[in-house]
Amino acid sequence: EAPLNECFLLLETYESLLSRTKEDSDVWKINHSNGSPVVVSDETAQLIQTALDYSVRSDGAFDITIAPLSDLWDFKNNTGTVPDDAAIQEAKRHIGYENVRVDGNTVQLLDPEAAIDLGGIAKGYIADQLKAYLKEQNVSHALINLGGNVLALDGKPDGSDYNIGIQKPFAQNGEAITSVKIKDQSVVSSGIYERYFKVGDKIYHHILDPKTGYPYKNNLLGVSIVCDSSTEADALSTTCFAMGLDDGLKYIEGIKGAEALFITDDYEIHSSSGF
């Protein structure tokens, strides 16, 4: 019971550092600094630097400065309003990971109108920290599920692997389209079925293309990544979705120890060579 309680306290701690919407969090302070340098915790600074490294490696397919667009679309509360195109184009002007400077534990937005959103990497990072804590407490077996982010500490007590279902996109009953077996690894999924609204027959989903300002249109419904680090799996799921099937598969094949499943809009599953 005690380690579990501590895990929930850790979740609250990380929310108070990394949440974009929680007032006085490190990220909130950065986004409301009007371009002034902000001193943040070492962990926040390190995670932002890690996220920027993924931005560089993916040539901007993963970009934590997507926040101006995320705020505009507001998928959490939006029930069906497409933002005005002029507003989308204006928000787009302030996106670019090059606008974030990290120096030690000081973070600065070089564009005062820019803002960061760690939603594409924070849950993975937090899962990794929970696993590290549980190992310190001599916990031998655990399964951490932060909603779309699953991380295993070792396997099941009987020595077998955990079997993790991959949700069938848009299935109302949580039906799985396939499953993967993991031991001491993470599975992270990103998909258009997580947060979206419909206008007529058209779906507008929350994975936004920084180049267009609109949701990605690439015939993908979802991407799941399996690798040791949940932080990496989180960043790679967004990155590979953004790149699309062909480029995403090519990209993941170049990353040692990471595998991917892509679900296309015909509900076909395409997997990297390690599966």
Side-chain angles (χ1 to χ4, degrees):
E1 200 67 28
L4 280 176
N5 290 337
E6 185 61 31
C7 282
F8 283 105
L9 290 174
L10 282 169
L11 286 171
E12 288 177 19
T13 298
Y14 285 117
E15 187 186 10
S16 69
L17 294 176
L18 306 175
S19 168
R20 177 167 58 95
T21 55
K22 192 174 178 67
E23 198 166 329
D24 285 336
S25 75
D26 279 352
V27 172
W28 189 92
K29 287 174 184 172
I30 294 165
N31 289 346
H32 291 79
S33 67
N34 293 314
S36 300
V38 177
V39 177
V40 298
S41 74
D42 290 344
E43 284 187 288
T44 302
Q46 286 164 12
L47 183 58
I48 290 172
Q49 185 57 64
T50 299
L52 293 175
D53 292 343
Y54 282 110
S55 295
V56 172
R57 282 167 50 185
S58 67
D59 196 24
F62 180 86
D63 194 329
I64 57 168
T65 62
I66 197 75
L69 274 175
S70 302
D71 286 340
L72 189 62
W73 283 88
D74 189 20
F75 281 94
K76 189 174 181 184
N77 302 304
N78 193 340
T79 55
T81 305
V82 177
D84 178 67
D85 185 67
I88 288 173
Q89 300 310 316
E90 173 58 27
K92 210 174 74 173
R93 286 181 53 238
H94 303 293
I95 292 171
Y97 64 89
E98 304 90 347
N99 286 321
V100 185
R101 176 177 291 165
V102 181
D103 182 11
N105 63 345
T106 300
V107 180
Q108 183 179 10
L109 297 175
L110 303 181
D111 174 359
E113 299 294 314
I116 64 175
D117 178 354
L118 295 175
I121 196 169
K123 272 204 290 188
Y125 174 78
I126 293 166
D128 284 334
Q129 303 314 304
L130 292 177
K131 179 176 176 177
Y133 164 75
L134 290 171
K135 285 176 84 168
E136 282 174 11
Q137 301 304 304
N138 298 315
V139 173
S140 305
H141 308 276
L143 194 63
I144 299 161
N145 185 348
L146 300 184
N149 292 58
V150 177
L151 178 61
L153 168 51
D154 201 66
K156 292 182 180 178
D158 65 5
S160 63
D161 294 350
Y162 287 103
N163 192 45
I164 309 299
I166 305 296
Q167 186 179 333
K168 182 178 180 180
F170 301 110
Q172 297 301 308
N173 55 1
E175 178 189 349
I177 192 169
T178 187
S179 63
V180 294
K181 291 188 180 298
I182 60 168
K183 181 181 281 186
D184 225 30
Q185 287 181 302
S186 182
V187 184
V188 177
S189 298
S190 291
I192 72 170
Y193 51 88
E194 292 167 345
R195 290 194 297 281
Y196 68 93
F197 61 82
K198 284 179 94 168
V199 179
D201 290 335
K202 193 167 185 183
I203 285 176
Y204 293 89
H205 61 82
H206 78 290
I207 308 178
L208 299 168
D209 183 347
K211 292 183 174 64
T212 67
Y214 289 84
Y216 278 101
K217 286 193 271 188
N218 57 13
N219 304 115
L220 287 178
L221 298 181
V223 175
S224 296
I225 303 290
V226 178
C227 65
D228 292 348
S229 159
S230 201
T231 307
E232 180 167 45
D234 209 353
L236 288 177
S237 67
T238 305
T239 300
C240 288
F241 187 98
M243 287 181 165
L245 177 61
D246 294 338
D247 289 344
L249 269 172
K250 211 175 293 177
Y251 183 71
I252 204 74
E253 295 290 6
I255 297 177
K256 192 178 178 187
E259 302 295 343
L261 291 173
F262 294 75
I263 305 171
T264 44
D265 55 11
D266 56 2
Y267 286 84
E268 288 293 313
I269 298 170
H270 310 259
S271 56
S272 55
S273 59
F275 273 122

